[in-house]
Amino acid sequence: MPTAIIADDERLMRDQLRLRLGQAWPELEIIGEAKNGDEAIELVEQLKPDFAFLDIRMPGKTGMEAAQVIGGKTHIVFVTAYDSHAVEAFERGAVDYVLKPPEHERLLVTVERLKTHLNKPALDVNSSVTAMLSQLAEKITAKPTYLQWIQASIGQDLRMIPVEEILFFRSDEKYTCVQTAKYEALIRKPVRDLAEELDPSLFWQIHRATLVNVNAIEGVTRDIRGRHLVLIKGKSDKLEVSRSFLHLFKQM
């Protein structure tokens, strides 16, 4: 059976990729998982997998740095959240790629490519490809990078939710509710952390426990107690605005 390892610092992302790979290539056995590039290098040395799925950005050694050390010991597949510019760059190199969140149709293409490499020597990620990817990373990281999707739970299921589909986030003491037009999901990340990771031009923090998508705002009203409440398009929810954030609505 063909074997592989997955390296990503996000556990839910590893779970999602493992699930999608199992659907696209049931015969592929995931024999190890790593949280960073250093662990990925160790797993390749110990387990000698046929393939290594490496997240391009991880703490410690990145996926690119790990690929340089791994060399031709296994076939490398980069996993990335980068946009079409990254896709173009990867397709010029001697490696394949998977975009986050992993989509079934694209993974089928990857699987077919990997099957053709099963009985071939692994290609070394040479300096020219690595240099190209490093330049790309510098170009992108020079700009603020924000979350493009949220990994959330609905019962026993894991969903990858594009942030633009989220109407608002609202936290309690234990969980944060992720509300879309169609369903509600839960995550453990508090609003204070989300506020630092989401694009502030798309999501406004209106309360210490609430973030709202500006495109979902229908208007602002007051209740009999004088509190300002945000109305959400297509929903009955009314989100309280703290005094500290009233300045966001002065232009409305």
Side-chain angles (χ1 to χ4, degrees):
M1 291 178 65
T3 59
I5 66 162
I6 295 172
D8 196 299
D9 59 317
E10 298 180 74
R11 182 188 62 79
L12 289 177
M13 192 65 239
R14 297 196 303 271
D15 292 345
Q16 183 76 353
L17 183 55
R18 177 189 282 269
L19 173 65
R20 295 292 186 223
L21 283 170
Q23 295 168 343
W25 195 359
E27 297 80 13
L28 180 66
E29 183 182 3
I30 306 301
I31 57 176
E33 294 186 7
K35 300 186 294 295
N36 54 57
D38 293 303
E39 291 183 5
I41 293 168
E42 291 181 11
L43 285 179
V44 170
E45 290 287 348
Q46 295 171 7
L47 304 178
K48 297 178 173 52
D50 296 305
F51 306 101
F53 291 80
L54 304 179
D55 184 16
I56 205 169
R57 297 180 66 185
M58 293 184 286
K61 276 189 173 62
T62 66
M64 291 184 290
E65 292 168 338
Q68 283 184 286
V69 177
I70 291 168
K73 296 175 183 177
T74 187
H75 297 288
I76 301 293
V77 183
F78 282 117
V79 182
T80 177
Y82 293 166
D83 60 12
S84 58
H85 297 294
V87 174
E88 180 182 355
F90 287 126
E91 289 188 322
R92 290 182 196 159
V95 292
D96 201 9
Y97 67 91
V98 174
L99 285 176
K100 296 181 180 182
E103 296 181 354
H104 182 69
E105 291 75 13
R106 181 61 184 83
L107 273 180
L108 289 177
V109 174
T110 294
V111 165
E112 290 307 309
R113 290 180 181 175
L114 297 186
K115 286 180 178 178
T116 66
H117 286 82
L118 258 180
N119 299 315
K120 298 178 182 179
L123 294 169
D124 195 350
V125 181
N126 59 51
S127 58
S128 62
V129 173
T130 304
M132 174 185 65
L133 294 174
S134 296
Q135 291 172 2
L136 174 68
E138 289 174 4
K139 177 181 176 183
I140 294 178
T141 54
K143 303 176 182 179
T145 54
Y146 301 111
L147 289 178
Q148 299 299 307
W149 69 89
I150 295 293
Q151 303 168 59
S153 298
I154 302 178
Q156 299 300 313
D157 297 328
L158 177 70
R159 290 284 182 92
M160 305 294 286
I161 310 173
V163 294
E164 62 269 16
E165 294 182 7
I166 298 170
L167 303 178
F168 60 84
F169 298 89
R170 186 161 49 187
S171 292
D172 59 22
E173 294 182 0
K174 190 174 182 181
Y175 294 100
T176 295
C177 164
V178 181
Q179 183 67 59
T180 73
K182 296 180 179 179
Y183 55 82
E184 175 184 290
L186 295 175
I187 58 176
R188 290 186 178 272
K189 183 173 292 189
V191 159
R192 64 175 180 273
D193 292 343
L194 287 167
E196 296 178 357
E197 299 176 7
L198 292 165
D199 185 348
S201 67
L202 180 61
F203 283 91
W204 287 356
Q205 184 168 8
I206 60 171
H207 188 277
R208 62 180 177 82
T210 310
L211 286 164
V212 63
N213 186 329
V214 295
N215 296 320
I217 297 175
E218 182 174 326
V220 182
T221 187
R222 286 189 182 187
D223 64 9
I224 58 174
R225 295 166 55 188
R227 297 179 303 171
H228 288 76
L229 304 174
V230 169
L231 307 177
I232 301 298
K233 295 176 182 177
K235 305 292 288 185
S236 60
D237 300 83
K238 296 180 181 180
L239 309 177
E240 182 179 355
V241 183
S242 297
R243 290 183 180 179
S244 303
F245 301 103
L246 283 176
H247 64 277
L248 296 170
F249 300 95
K250 285 184 179 179
Q251 70 271 28
M252 297 184 72

